Amino acid sequence: MKDWKNVWILAEVNHGRLSPTAYELLNAGRKLADDLGEKLCAVLLGSGVKTWAQDLFEHGADVVYVCDAAPLAQYVDDVYAKTLAAMIAQYKPNKFLLPATNLGRSLSAKTAIFAGTGLTADATEVVIHKEDGQLHATRPTFGGNLMATITCARTRPEMCSLRPMAYAKAARVSGRTGEVVEFPFDAAKYTSLAQFIRFIKSQGEGLDLSEAEVIVAGGRGLGKPEGFALLEKLAQRLGGAVGASRAPVDSGWIEYRRQIGLTGRTVKPKLYIACGISGQIQHMAGCSGADVLVAINKDPQAPIMKMAHYALEGDLYEVIPAMLEQLG
Ligand SMILES: Cc1cc2nc3c(=O)[nH]c(=O)nc-3n(C[C@H](O)[C@H](O)[C@H](O)COP(=O)(O)OP(=O)(O)OC[C@H]3O[C@@H](n4cnc5c(N)ncnc54)[C@H](O)[C@@H]3O)c2cc1C
C-alpha cells in the first residue's frame, strides 16, 4: 500500500472542450491531497489535449499526466480504460477521482475493472479518514433514503466518480505551473472490439442544466404539463434553462433529465426561480447551491418561501406573465 501515492483526477475533455467538472475535481482533490501531504495530479487523455495542462496547473494541479495521441481523438470505452489502467499500473496513484458524467461513469467502471480495484460511483462528498488515510466517499442510496459512506480498504487506487456540481470550481491562480509527464499511447495494447463510427448530437434539447446560469424550475403547482410552456418563455427571456421538481417528472409532464434534487441533478446557477415548488428537502438538495433563489408560491407557509432570497407570494400564472411584461 505504501507504494501508492498522490491524488489523481480525470480532466475530461469532450469534443475539444475541457469539462467544467475538471475544476470541481481539482477543488475536491486539492483538499484530499493536502490532508494526505501528497501531490494533486490531473490526467488528460485525447488528441490535442496537452494544451489544457497550463489551465489545470492554474487551478491547483501539481502534475499533469498526458496521453495525447490521434487514436484517442474519439472516446471509445475500452481504449480509454485500458490506457488509464496502464497509467495507474505505472504511476500507482493512491486515490483517483473521475467525474460522474456520462463519459466518466462509463470510463470509471471499466477502468476499475482493468485496474483490479474498487469504485464508489456517483458520490456527493469525499474526505480522507484521519486515522487510516482511507478515502471515505458518501453517496445517496436506496433512492435517496439513506446516505452511504463507502470505503475500498484492500486495493489501490481507491476510485470514485463524483457527481457534477457537488463541489465548487477551484479558484484560478494565474501563472501557477507544474510538471507535465507524457505517457506514450500503445495502439497494439489499448484495443477495443468497438469502433467509433460517428457522433450524433441530439436535437432540440435546449440549454443543458449544468451550463445554465439561470434556471426556471416548475413543480406540482403548475397543475398541468402546459404550464412548462410559460416557464420556457421566462427561461428563454432570461437566457436560461427549464428544470423541474420530481412531482411533474413522475406525472410525465417533463423528462427525467430536467429533474433537480437528490435523485435528479445538482445545479449551481446564478439565479434559480422555483415556481409552484414547495421546497422539500429532496428538492433543495439539488438547488441550494444557487447564488440567488427566488420562489413563486401561493402559500406563504411553504418551506421554500423561508429559504428563498426573494419570496413572491401569488399564483404563478399571474406572477410570471407580470415578470415577462416587466422584462419587455
Ligand atoms: C427518496 C426520495 C427522493 C426524492 N428525490 C427528489 C428529487 O430529486 N427532486 C425533487 O424535486 N423531489 C424529490 N423527491 C420528492 C420530494 O419529497 C417532494 O415530494 C417533491 O419535491 C414535491 O414536489 P413539488 O414541490 O413540485 O410539489 P408539492 O410539494 O406538492 O408542492 C407544490 C407547491 O406548489 C404551490 N402551488 C400550487 N399551485 C400554485 C400556483 N398556481 N402558483 C404558485 N404556487 C402554487 C403549493 O402551494 C405547493 O407549495 C424525493 C422523495 C423521496 C422520498
Side-chain angles (χ1 to χ4, degrees):
M1 294 284 193
K2 285 197 196 86
D3 296 341
W4 298 78
K5 285 235 166 345
N6 300 330
V7 176
W8 280 21
I9 68 109
L10 178 79
E12 176 180 329
V13 177
N14 230 326
H15 304 290
R17 277 181 59 201
L18 184 69
S19 163
T21 56
Y23 306 125
E24 296 164 19
L25 295 185
L26 283 170
N27 183 23
R30 181 77 265 167
K31 170 95 176 73
L32 304 185
D34 289 348
D35 286 353
L36 289 162
E38 296 182 358
K39 286 182 184 163
L40 176 61
C41 312
V43 181
L44 280 167
L45 286 181
S47 177
V49 291
K50 195 177 162 187
T51 148
W52 295 107
Q54 181 54 32
D55 197 24
L56 298 171
F57 293 139
E58 293 189 353
H59 286 88
D62 302 312
V63 179
V64 176
Y65 291 97
V66 185
C67 187
D68 199 325
L72 294 173
Q74 302 296 343
Y75 176 71
V76 178
D77 266 348
D78 286 355
V79 178
Y80 268 55
K82 286 177 185 171
T83 309
L84 263 188
M87 292 170 98
I88 289 172
Q90 180 158 339
Y91 299 110
K92 296 190 167 39
N94 187 357
K95 325 285 180 209
F96 191 5
L97 307 180
L98 296 96
T101 52
N102 288 344
L103 184 151
R105 281 169 199 245
S106 182
L107 179 60
S108 54
K110 283 223 167 178
T111 305
I113 296 289
F114 289 134
T117 189
L119 167 77
T120 303
D122 203 23
T124 50
E125 192 185 7
V126 280
V127 293
I128 298 296
H129 191 248
K130 275 201 178 96
E131 272 142 47
D132 53 19
Q134 275 184 27
L135 183 73
H136 283 206
T138 302
R139 53 154 295 161
T141 189
F142 290 111
N145 287 315
L146 284 178
M147 298 301 281
T149 297
I150 299 169
T151 62
C152 168
R154 287 189 288 274
T155 55
R156 293 292 181 272
E158 293 160 271
M159 286 182 60
C160 169
S161 64
L162 200 56
R163 202 183 267 200
M165 300 211 184
Y167 280 79
K169 296 186 177 94
R172 173 181 222 121
V173 179
S174 281
R176 189 179 180 280
T177 55
E179 182 192 359
V180 172
V181 178
E182 304 220 25
F183 184 81
F185 180 77
D186 186 338
K189 275 196 199 155
Y190 315 142
T191 55
S192 174
L193 293 175
Q195 192 194 344
F196 174 85
I197 296 175
R198 68 182 186 281
F199 175 74
I200 304 168
K201 197 171 177 1
S202 38
Q203 299 294 315
E205 285 196 348
L207 187 60
D208 190 81
L209 285 177
S210 61
E211 292 173 12
E213 294 197 335
V214 176
I215 295 176
V216 182
R220 203 195 314 268
L222 288 176
K224 53 190 176 194
E226 294 76 25
F228 278 103
L230 181 61
L231 302 197
E232 190 64 57
K233 267 193 202 162
L234 182 58
Q236 273 186 13
R237 185 64 193 76
L238 298 171
V242 169
S245 69
R246 179 159 150 180
V249 172
D250 285 351
S251 301
W253 299 353
I254 191 163
E255 321 89 289
Y256 166 72
R257 70 188 174 86
R258 295 272 155 207
Q259 183 180 319
I260 291 158
L262 200 57
T263 43
R265 305 277 294 271
T266 304
V267 293
K268 280 197 198 315
K270 288 193 173 145
L271 174 62
Y272 190 82
I273 308 180
C275 313
I277 294 177
S278 61
Q280 298 306 310
I281 191 166
Q282 295 90 352
H283 183 75
M284 300 316 292
C287 64
S288 53
D291 291 350
V292 175
L293 173 62
V294 176
I296 305 172
N297 203 301
K298 280 205 296 202
D299 177 5
Q301 302 305 325
I304 200 161
M305 298 294 265
K306 296 188 178 59
M307 293 180 262
H309 298 99
Y310 299 94
L312 309 183
E313 184 189 335
D315 186 330
L316 67 94
Y317 288 103
E318 289 169 14
V319 176
I320 297 177
M323 286 169 97
L324 284 166
E325 206 181 304
Q326 283 286 320
L327 288 164

